[in-house]
Amino acid sequence: MKKILYLIVFLVFGWSCSDFLEEDAQNLTYVNSLNDLDQLLIGEGYAIASFDECSNWNGSVPAWMHLLDDDLQYDGVGLMGQGDHMSCSAIYAWQRDPWRGGLTDDNRGSTDNLAWSELYRHINALNIMLYEAEEFKDEPDYNRIKGEAMFLRATYYWWLLNIYSRAYDVKTADKDPGVPLKLSPYVEDYEEEGGFSRASVAEVYKQIVADLKNAVQWLSGYGRKSVYRASMEAARLFLSRVYLHMENYEGVINECDTLLQDNVYRLDDYTLIESASQSLITSHSPEVIFSQGGYRLRYFFGSGTIRGDEIVWDADPGDNLFSPFYGVSDDLVDAFNDNRLVPDQSQGNDFRYMVGMAKIQVVSWSGWFPVMIPYLLPAKLKKWDDGGISDVFTLRLAEAYLNKAEALAAVGREDEANQLWQELRRYRIAEPEAVALHGENLMTAIRAERRLEFNFEGFRWLDLRRYAVNSKYPQKKEITHSWLDETYVLAPYGEDPAWVFPIPAEEHRLNSRLELNEEREERKAVK
């Protein structure tokens, strides 16, 4: 027997109640109009975009994603007397229990596994909003509310899959366990008889595609309310990303063609930037289509008087500042100088390096004397007030160029692929030289360009996963992370279970039919 599950009873997955469930908060008990639903969508559908969200680095759009890949490295002196758990080094070193805290202590105070519960909390709220919206289907904004809700539900399921499941592999996606798929606002009978089981990766991706297609349809004809609200263009671009993961290359090309032909957005010309002190990407950029969530890089890279405060880019020796936990990796720095396929690629003429990276000086003390220690940090957004955007979930028009270029290369339309990704470079590089690449070299160059374009925006870890299972041009990479005098190694995708995160153990207790992921081993330093 089905029973309506209103927001007052958030128990299906054992979720904790959020503030909006309190007696004086807006919830479905008080929804009397579509405007009430719109306000609820803002408060419980979207991840909050604000300066203060820096502290919520472990929420629904997880900032710890940056700690996993090869664009970041530990810089050695960021602890400043705090517990190691503050640096989340167990995540950085891909440990058996990444949430235990640090490599040298076991303080779990700030490292609970919140992504699972937060993402499902959003999804459950959206399911109920979609149900309740049917009461207002004759009102003008009905389509918009439905479209935004479907877009958001698709993105949250996409994050769940890419954290807790294997990458989409065309050979095995219909068998690989995905995540529980819940679309109704009801408590189903089977939820009371052993709980949820996991739908396959293919099944969840199918639902994501359906939601995004519906979002495109429902949002058609509506202008964007703000950069922090979903639009038809945001749904199209995200659908092209989903298709790229699925190797549905014709789908990628079709969605990107529509975006690029509409001329609603345009590329920002970085070569016109006059000062390296400017922010590279902000909410005011003509190419930023959508963003949700905070800029949590400050927590891991911050250099201020408070952990997570604005980075102080011009510190004086007398400033008493935190040192960053992490910095830009040598591997990424080298990538900006890798000219093996593209002769004019260098740090000296790439504005994504010259403006998008910045060195800071933080004082350290050697005896009685101050010593200024340099750090290289990601600096695409210098200050939140410049126009705050998310560091893991911002959609930009540049992605349409590179998604389409990769798809064109995969289907053999190489002349078009060469033209498209090099058109993007003309907005990033001082006087770029044209090159003609083919086959695997072309695909390698486009993927390298993707890394230079989207570093520290939440792409790299997920891209490395999908490259490894690509059916035409597979590309695997081992990652090495150093910690003090130790080195930890992550074997390539498919050879190490740490490319997939453990599902919270309490979920199996609540849902006995829920299959857990392959257990990781405790990772030892290789030296």
Side-chain angles (χ1 to χ4, degrees), residues 64-65 67-69 90-99 162-167 461-462 465 479 481 488-502 517-524:
W64 47 258
M65 191 71 66
L67 303 182
L68 301 169
D69 62 40
I91 298 175
Y92 172 75
W94 315 288
Q95 289 301 307
R96 179 178 181 274
D97 177 9
W99 313 106
N162 282 281
I163 295 171
Y164 298 106
S165 302
R166 297 179 63 83
W461 175 255
L462 307 187
R465 284 166 36 105
I479 303 177
H481 280 175
Y488 293 85
V489 176
L490 179 70
Y493 180 91
E495 302 172 29
D496 194 314
W499 288 89
V500 179
F501 265 70
N517 288 327
E518 180 182 353
E519 191 169 334
R520 307 174 175 200
E521 295 183 357
E522 191 68 24
R523 195 172 304 272
K524 304 296 184 183

Side-chain angles (χ1 to χ4, degrees), residues 193-323:
E193 300 170 359
F196 285 92
S197 59
R198 298 170 69 173
S200 71
V201 168
E203 288 172 322
V204 183
Y205 263 90
K206 181 179 179 181
Q207 183 60 48
I208 291 170
V209 168
D211 276 356
L212 290 172
K213 283 183 173 180
N214 284 330
V216 169
Q217 177 182 347
W218 289 114
L219 291 168
S220 177
Y222 290 91
R224 187 182 72 175
K225 289 175 71 71
S226 84
V227 71
Y228 307 117
R229 300 293 295 268
S231 63
M232 179 183 68
E233 292 81 11
R236 281 197 187 281
L237 181 54
F238 199 77
L239 180 57
S240 78
R241 185 191 299 186
V242 172
Y243 280 149
L244 191 63
H245 279 243
M246 298 173 71
E247 298 188 46
N248 180 348
Y249 296 123
E250 292 304 324
V252 176
I253 294 167
N254 290 338
E255 298 303 329
C256 292
D257 275 345
T258 302
L259 275 171
L260 296 174
Q261 292 165 9
D262 280 351
N263 295 317
V264 176
Y265 298 90
R266 60 178 175 83
L267 290 175
D268 203 351
D269 192 344
Y270 294 171
T271 68
L272 301 179
I273 293 177
E274 297 178 352
S275 171
S277 65
Q278 295 178 232
S279 287
L280 194 68
I281 303 170
T282 73
S283 61
H284 311 299
S285 167
E287 68 179 63
V288 171
I289 297 172
F290 172 76
S291 182
Q292 72 162 337
Y295 194 77
R296 280 76 53 88
L297 280 172
R298 297 194 315 273
Y299 181 86
F300 299 115
F301 293 91
S303 171
T305 57
I306 300 173
R307 177 67 63 194
D309 207 348
E310 291 280 24
I311 295 174
V312 178
W313 298 104
D314 52 355
D316 293 322
D319 293 339
N320 185 22
L321 304 177
F322 283 104
S323 298

Side-chain angles (χ1 to χ4, degrees), residues 459-502:
F459 283 74
R460 182 62 174 168
W461 175 255
L462 307 187
D463 280 342
L464 289 172
R465 284 166 36 105
R466 71 177 179 88
Y467 296 158
V469 297
N470 184 266
S471 62
K472 187 166 186 179
Y473 294 111
Q475 176 187 345
K476 293 190 175 187
K477 183 173 185 180
E478 178 182 274
I479 303 177
T480 299
H481 280 175
S482 296
W483 171 266
L484 300 177
D485 58 350
E486 298 179 336
T487 300
Y488 293 85
V489 176
L490 179 70
Y493 180 91
E495 302 172 29
D496 194 314
W499 288 89
V500 179
F501 265 70

Side-chain angles (χ1 to χ4, degrees), residues 96-133:
R96 179 178 181 274
D97 177 9
W99 313 106
R100 77 180 193 200
L103 289 167
T104 58
D105 66 44
D106 295 315
N107 187 326
R108 297 175 56 95
S110 62
T111 50
D112 293 331
N113 183 355
L114 298 181
W116 176 279
S117 59
E118 285 287 297
L119 287 164
Y120 272 116
R121 185 181 66 82
H122 282 303
I123 288 168
N124 202 51
L126 291 164
N127 287 341
I128 297 166
M129 286 181 235
L130 285 166
Y131 175 86
E132 287 296 313

Side-chain angles (χ1 to χ4, degrees), residues 133-142:
E134 297 306 305
E135 297 292 321
F136 310 102
K137 59 176 22 176
D138 295 327
E139 297 191 21
D141 276 348
Y142 165 79

